[in-house]
Amino acid sequence: LMNGDDLYAREDIEGCLRHQYSLLSMEVDDPRLFAVLTVENGVVKDIIEKPDHPASNLTSVGMYVFDTTLFPLLDTMPRSPRGEYEITDGVKALIQVADVFYHLSTGYWVPIGFPWRLLDANDFLLERSPDERILGTVEPGVIIEGTLSLGDHSIIRRGTHIQGNVRVGEHCTIGSHCHITGNTSIGDRCHIANSVFINNSVIDRHVRIDPFCHIAHSVIGDSAYLHSGAVTMSAPIEGSTVTSLVKKQFVDSGREQLGAILASRVELQPHIVTYPGVKIDPDVVVSAGRVVMADLKQMGVDVT
């Protein structure tokens, strides 16, 4: 059982799987933000969720090995105030009837609790494992400075400049005179038109980007469509880092550059500008010429 929004190292998964019951642990600077462990001889003796006064800095980081023994124990547990069964309560119940071992991470753990952390994960993976396989077509006149991975049946047109760690999926078209730089990943079956600038961004599958768009430090969800002239501003309006609204509170992203977070099937009609840290929900269509200064939550609505 793993948190679906975190990255874990293979060696840590294998380490946890050496035991019938186990969890992945890591020493952190501020354990008050995590479930803190009390351990003895490699076995978990207690687990406390986000204590005010943690007994140690050894924490659980969201990967567990259980079997069906856990399920009857859940029937005896009350639901939390959120109306859910909590993993920490399940571990507490399990350690009363079995030894639950902990594996201290020897690999990596990249949490992706906020959407902009996808950029952190992308940076981590591209810098950790640069890939230079060219399976598609690179036309004459393309400049490559850095590493490029290009999938089957993809093509990069002449005059384009690749600079940084860039990974392009299968069945993609990158038009002529584009500039793609930084740690940038482009998913399968994307169409990037001529004269598009993309910097340090994650572009999901089936995305279409028309000419003269400027995409920086952004996450573009699958099947999004950016018409010509879209610009995602990424430098903070105030301060040194970009903030973004989460559950009605502004959260510091910790990033000096953060563009837009566009969910699946978002459509930006021509000449849209988005402010740094703006998030747009799935299926939103933004009318031409707008400046998007705040998150857009409307579902399937033309925002005018």
Side-chain angles (χ1 to χ4, degrees), residues 180-256:
I180 303 176
T181 185
N183 293 321
T184 291
S185 293
I186 298 174
D188 296 341
R189 299 184 184 277
C190 288
H191 180 86
I192 312 298
N194 299 340
S195 303
V196 170
F197 175 82
I198 302 174
N199 178 28
N200 216 91
S201 294
V202 175
I203 313 294
D204 209 336
R205 299 170 298 173
H206 299 279
V207 170
R208 177 175 172 178
I209 302 178
D210 281 353
F212 307 114
C213 289
H214 186 288
I215 311 302
H217 301 273
S218 296
V219 177
I220 311 299
D222 67 275
S223 303
Y225 181 11
L226 282 65
H227 293 256
S228 60
V231 175
T232 64
M233 297 170 57
S234 60
I237 303 300
E238 297 180 355
S240 58
T241 55
V242 178
T243 60
S244 187
L245 192 64
V246 178
K247 296 181 179 179
K248 300 182 180 181
Q249 292 185 338
F250 280 99
V251 174
D252 187 350
S253 70
R255 299 184 63 91
E256 295 179 357

Side-chain angles (χ1 to χ4, degrees), residues 47-76:
I47 181 169
I48 301 175
E49 184 70 30
K50 298 178 181 177
D52 292 331
H53 304 287
S56 73
N57 64 343
L58 186 65
T59 65
S60 171
V61 291
M63 182 165 69
Y64 310 88
V65 177
F66 299 136
D67 63 15
T68 55
T69 302
L70 181 67
F71 298 145
L73 300 176
L74 296 178
D75 292 335
T76 67

Side-chain angles (χ1 to χ4, degrees), residues 108-120:
Y108 58 82
W109 170 56
V110 183
I112 314 175
F114 295 106
W116 55 83
R117 293 282 175 83
L118 289 168
L119 297 172
D120 298 333

